Amino acid sequence: MGKPTSKFRWFARGFASGFIFFAALNALSWFFRSAGWSDLCGATLFEHTEAIGFPFEIWREGFGYDGGLMVDLPSVGVNAAIGLTIAITAGLTVVRLSNRIETAMPYEPANNTGFRMNFSVRGLLIVTTLIAVAIGLTKTLGPSPWLLGTIYFAGPLILILIAMGPVGIPWEQRSIILLLTAIFMLAGAILIGGRLDMMFDRVLLGVFICWVPQSVFAALLILGFVWWKQADSKGV
């Protein structure tokens, strides 16, 4: 077991986790406050009213707020204060439970042996395969709302499969593969959105709305699985 993590780092981790969780709630609010989902992927057969904000609405499409602003600043301030409270509470909770967390999930030093050689063979093969599959899908479907929707709703799943699927690849290499894949998918989403006459910020809004909640849910599942495996190995 390595050197114990400092309390400040545990607080930072808890704070970031709470903040991301609150961001996921805001992203999910889009699905409940909006009248339809098709506009998110550039399918403009029907014009739907869209809105976002948790717990208070901060933006509604085509609605002007005081001073001609596009967002409701008072609601933004209240939501930000609530999010900050949740993040601080999560940070303090993680600090309080840090000893139990370190016991349940012991530190494992990174293995950097053979990093460059392994990545040049196995890692590049995986990245090349993913790019080939993506190019094939692009040629088959074209710059369509279906392809953009696939990136929105299946992108996090693809990243999770890359992170958890291949065996025998150190986490350093997985991180590079994940980063390259995420950049490639984001660039593809922006390119497809441009072909569908979507604004740049609209595409990024779709990525935020779809990727953040899925990533948080996946992280919770992975942490729960790791915790369960550690407890099972110790006979708890």
Side-chain angles (χ1 to χ4, degrees):
M1 182 177 295
K3 182 179 179 180
T5 306
S6 66
K7 298 298 183 181
F8 175 78
R9 288 190 176 182
W10 279 118
F11 176 81
R13 292 172 180 176
F15 183 91
S17 299
F19 183 81
I20 294 174
F21 179 76
F22 184 73
L25 293 178
N26 274 272
L28 286 174
S29 70
W30 185 93
F31 293 98
F32 295 95
R33 294 187 181 275
S34 300
W37 303 358
S38 60
D39 293 347
L40 187 68
C41 300
T44 55
L45 295 177
F46 304 98
E47 291 293 339
H48 298 109
T49 302
E50 298 173 298
I52 193 172
F54 178 86
F56 301 104
E57 181 181 300
I58 62 174
W59 172 82
R60 179 169 292 272
E61 186 179 23
F63 189 83
Y65 297 93
D66 294 339
L69 298 175
M70 296 180 60
V71 296
D72 186 353
L73 285 183
S75 296
V76 170
V78 174
N79 286 0
I82 294 174
L84 184 62
T85 301
I86 292 175
I88 293 175
T89 302
L92 294 176
T93 302
V94 168
V95 170
R96 186 174 182 180
L97 299 176
S98 60
N99 292 333
R100 295 184 181 181
I101 296 175
E102 286 185 336
T103 301
M105 299 180 180
Y107 169 81
E108 295 183 1
N111 181 14
N112 296 321
T113 304
F115 171 74
R116 293 183 179 178
M117 180 63 70
N118 289 336
F119 180 73
S120 63
V121 178
R122 192 175 304 175
L124 289 181
L125 178 61
I126 293 175
V127 173
T128 303
T129 302
L130 289 172
I131 294 176
V133 171
I135 293 175
L137 287 175
T138 302
K139 290 183 176 180
T140 302
L141 299 177
S144 66
W146 289 102
L147 184 56
L148 185 58
T150 300
I151 296 176
Y152 282 164
F153 294 99
L157 176 61
I158 295 173
L159 295 177
I160 292 170
L161 292 177
I162 294 174
M164 305 302 296
V167 295
I169 300 180
W171 276 106
E172 296 89 344
Q173 299 179 26
R174 292 176 189 264
S175 299
I176 294 179
I177 296 173
L178 286 171
L179 179 61
L180 292 176
T181 306
I183 293 175
F184 183 78
M185 286 193 291
L186 287 174
I190 294 172
L191 178 61
I192 296 170
R195 296 288 183 88
L196 297 175
D197 295 326
M198 296 177 62
M199 299 295 292
F200 176 77
D201 56 351
R202 168 71 87 177
V203 177
L204 294 184
L205 177 65
V207 173
F208 168 75
I209 290 172
C210 298
W211 280 30
V212 173
Q214 293 184 71
S215 300
V216 170
F217 180 70
L220 291 175
L221 285 180
I222 293 173
L223 285 175
F225 176 76
V226 172
W227 204 310
W228 173 75
K229 290 293 290 184
Q230 290 289 342
D232 184 65
S233 64
K234 295 178 181 180
V236 179

